[in-house]
């Protein structure tokens, strides 16, 4: 039986998950494949932090990345270190040394992916990154195989486990935002610096990768309007609940007339929709496509073992390609340029919440050029659902409320977007 030699960069939550799962599943892998994996070297930033790491007998721990990227025996490098600059240099070096790459690094793939993937193609090595989007959900492979023959029209995802965990804990357990975020960090869901998780940047990176597979379009971070969950208040979550809605951090890309509209941010979802029931670290991606209609894929979006399983599934594909001598095919071959548009500028409905308000209903009614679809008043808040209004009408209303000394918060109602056809 052939042995395929692996090198690992990074031994954080994901790296440790890979080490554990490789050992745990070794017997099954050698039963189902005609090769086995050997983890030869693991590179870490600080050796002292990993003295007690449980590595397979014979695996060498090093603090030199080049010990992995330049080792002629290593055939596949698993990059689980995160970050952009150092990871990019390491991956390019490994590719130039003819090693296939498996990576979970969405930041790198979203910002410099095209360039590195092109290098891998030119050199003729594999580059897979299933773990970079939605942790354990095998969504990229589904998009690049089962859905390749379908025409996708919309992707709506809950694709940041940390943000979903925080919003769920705030809503269900009345936890403060800070407490919920600390718990997500303790459980290993959040990034080392959770800014990207809570500000919607991590979800935006994942949407960039998803859009390449689903729509053939490579968006930049600046093409996608993105907001986080840092200002979502318990009153917004409570009032949404009373109106039969759930607030989630959504990532949306929708193709209409050769234009790709996108948005990442908190949005209200009717409780009757499957995405409204995706809680905690769970992720979900709802795909609308012409042949299949709507399909929804759910599963754990972060965590050591779910993410490591996605990496192991990539390892199996590459292992087979190495055995057959057919490495170098792109994970995603779809390219179809379309104009990037913002979903925030199209007419839609909004859930507006005003906290600690004493504003009279008649004054509020006078500020609006429309009739509220639904309204609810709580002990410390007032909330209303607008009909479909333009972005200009929304801005005028928010300005008028602020002029009255109020502090309005708003989230859009998902799927209320009205595009000109
Ligand atoms: N920090 C990410 C999340 C990890 O919370 O979803 C998985 O990409």
């Amino acid at each position: 039986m052939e042995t395929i030699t692996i090198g690992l960069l990074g031994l954080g939550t994901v790296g440790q998950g890979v080490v554990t799962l490789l050992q745990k599943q070794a017997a099954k892998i050698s039963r189902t494949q005609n090769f086995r994996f050997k983890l030869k070297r693991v590179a870490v930033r600080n050796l002292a932090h990993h003295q007690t790491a449980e590595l397979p007998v014979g695996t060498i721990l090093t603090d030199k990345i080049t010990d992995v990227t330049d080792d002629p025996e290593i055939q596949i490098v698993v990059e689980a270190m995160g970050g952009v600059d150092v990871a990019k240099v390491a991956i390019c070096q490994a590719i130039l040394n003819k090693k296939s790459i498996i990576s979970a690094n969405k930041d790198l793939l979203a910002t410099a992916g095209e360039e590195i993937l092109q290098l891998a193609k030119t050199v003729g090595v594999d580059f897979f990154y299933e773990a970079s989007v939605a942790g354990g959900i095998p969504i990229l492979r589904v998009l690049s195989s089962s859905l390749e023959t379908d025409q996708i029209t919309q992707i709506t995802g809950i694709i940041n486990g940390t943000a979903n965990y925080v919003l769920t804990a705030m809503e269900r357990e009345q936890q403060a935002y800070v407490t919920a975020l600390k718990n997500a960090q303790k459980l290993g869901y959040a990034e080392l610096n959770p800014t990207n998780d809570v500000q919607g940047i991590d979800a935006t990176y994942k949407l960039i990768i998803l859009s390449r597979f689903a729509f053939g379009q490579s968006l930049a971070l600046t093409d996608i309007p993105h907001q986080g969950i840092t200002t979502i208040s318990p009153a917004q979550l409570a009032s949404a609940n009373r109106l039969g809605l759930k607030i989630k951090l959504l990532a949306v890309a929708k193709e209409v007339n050769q234009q790709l509209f996108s948005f990442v941010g908190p949005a209200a979802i009717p409780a009757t929709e499957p995405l409204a029931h995706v809680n905690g670290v769970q992720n979900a991606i709802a795909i609308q496509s012409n042949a299949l209609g709507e399909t929804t894929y759910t599963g754990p979006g972060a965590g050591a073992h779910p993410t490591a399983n996605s990496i192991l599934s990539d390892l199996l594909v590459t292992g087979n390609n190495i055995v057959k001598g057919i490495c170098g095919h792109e994970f995603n071959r779809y390219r179809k340029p379309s104009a990037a548009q913002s979903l925030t500028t199209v007419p839609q409905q909004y859930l507006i919440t005003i906290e600690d308000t004493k504003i009279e209903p008649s004054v509020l009614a006078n500020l609006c050029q429309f009739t509220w679809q639904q309204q609810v008043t709580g002990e410390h808040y007032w909330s209303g659902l607008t009909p479909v209004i333009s972005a200009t009408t929304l801005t005028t209303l928010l300005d008028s409320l602020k002029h009255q000394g109020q502090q309005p918060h708003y989230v859009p109602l998902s799927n209320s977007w009205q595009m000109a056809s």
Side-chain angles (χ1 to χ4, degrees), residues 152-157 207 210-211 214-215 219 224 251-255 260-263 286 343:
I152 296 172
T153 53
Q154 183 172 331
I155 281 199
T156 312
L207 185 64
L210 282 172
S211 296
F215 303 106
L219 298 168
I224 305 178
V252 186
K254 183 176 173 70
E255 192 179 54
L260 190 59
F261 291 84
S262 65
F263 152 82
L343 254 186

Side-chain angles (χ1 to χ4, degrees), residues 121-418:
K121 190 180 164 194
T122 309
V123 174
V125 294
D126 279 356
F127 194 144
F128 292 120
Y129 40 98
E130 181 62 75
S132 66
V133 177
I137 306 176
I139 189 67
L140 297 183
R141 201 147 272 120
V142 165
L143 287 168
S144 67
S145 55
S146 316
L147 282 166
E148 198 178 6
T149 48
D150 204 349
Q151 189 67 39
I152 296 172
T153 53
Q154 183 172 331
I155 281 199
T156 312
I158 295 175
I159 48 178
N160 184 269
T162 302
N164 206 41
Y165 180 91
V166 168
L167 289 177
T168 305
M170 285 174 72
E171 188 219 318
R172 288 187 161 178
E173 292 158 39
Q174 278 77 51
Q175 276 182 23
Y177 168 79
V178 178
T179 313
L181 179 57
K182 275 199 184 125
N183 288 339
Q185 286 175 290
K186 257 189 241 153
L187 290 163
Y189 303 150
E191 303 301 313
L192 279 182
N193 174 355
T195 310
N196 283 4
D197 292 307
V198 297
Q199 292 193 346
I201 296 168
D202 179 84
T204 309
Y205 285 151
K206 291 167 181 167
L207 185 64
I208 289 172
I209 300 170
L210 282 172
S211 296
R212 290 184 190 143
F213 281 69
F215 303 106
Q217 166 73 313
S218 202
L219 298 168
L221 187 64
T222 45
D223 289 327
I224 305 178
H226 50 275
Q227 282 170 36
I229 57 162
T230 50
T231 60
I232 293 293
S233 67
Q236 281 179 287
L237 296 166
S239 63
N241 245 337
R242 287 182 58 196
L243 291 169
L245 302 166
K246 298 281 176 191
I247 295 178
K248 301 284 179 190
L249 182 77
L250 286 192
V252 186
K254 183 176 173 70
E255 192 179 54
V256 180
N257 298 335
Q258 310 291 327
Q259 300 181 91
L260 190 59
F261 291 84
S262 65
F263 152 82
V264 171
I269 311 175
T272 46
E273 289 190 19
L275 290 191
H277 303 282
V278 175
N279 292 309
V281 72
Q282 291 295 105
N283 278 195
I285 296 145
I287 297 182
Q288 276 160 9
S289 58
N290 289 342
L292 259 72
E294 180 156 328
T295 46
T296 306
Y297 305 82
T298 59
H305 289 180
T307 311
N309 189 62
S310 290
I311 289 176
L312 258 64
S313 72
D314 283 347
L315 276 170
L316 282 196
V317 179
T318 293
N320 272 298
N321 288 348
I322 289 174
V323 169
K324 292 180 192 150
I326 55 165
C327 289
H329 296 288
E330 292 175 282
F331 198 5
N332 168 49
R333 290 183 298 270
Y334 190 28
R335 308 273 189 283
K336 183 175 130 304
S338 49
Q341 301 285 359
S342 166
L343 254 186
T344 59
T345 55
V346 305
Q348 56 197 289
Q349 288 180 263
Y350 298 92
L351 176 67
I352 296 184
T353 304
I354 312 172
E355 291 183 47
D356 297 321
T357 182
K358 298 203 170 34
I359 193 164
E360 292 295 327
S362 57
V363 176
L364 184 64
N366 281 342
L367 295 179
C368 310
Q369 301 151 9
F370 54 77
T371 308
W372 293 92
Q373 285 216 336
Q374 280 180 289
Q375 296 185 48
V376 63
T377 307
E379 211 177 319
H380 301 292
Y381 62 81
W382 170 93
S383 241
L385 186 64
T386 71
V388 172
I389 57 174
S390 68
T392 316
T393 304
L394 173 72
T395 307
T396 308
L397 173 63
L398 296 175
D399 287 348
S400 313
L401 285 166
K402 284 178 196 155
H403 195 68
Q404 298 280 327
Q406 309 298 315
Q407 285 188 321
H409 294 275
Y410 71 96
V411 291
L413 179 69
S414 74
N415 278 329
S416 66
W417 304 289
Q418 304 286 311

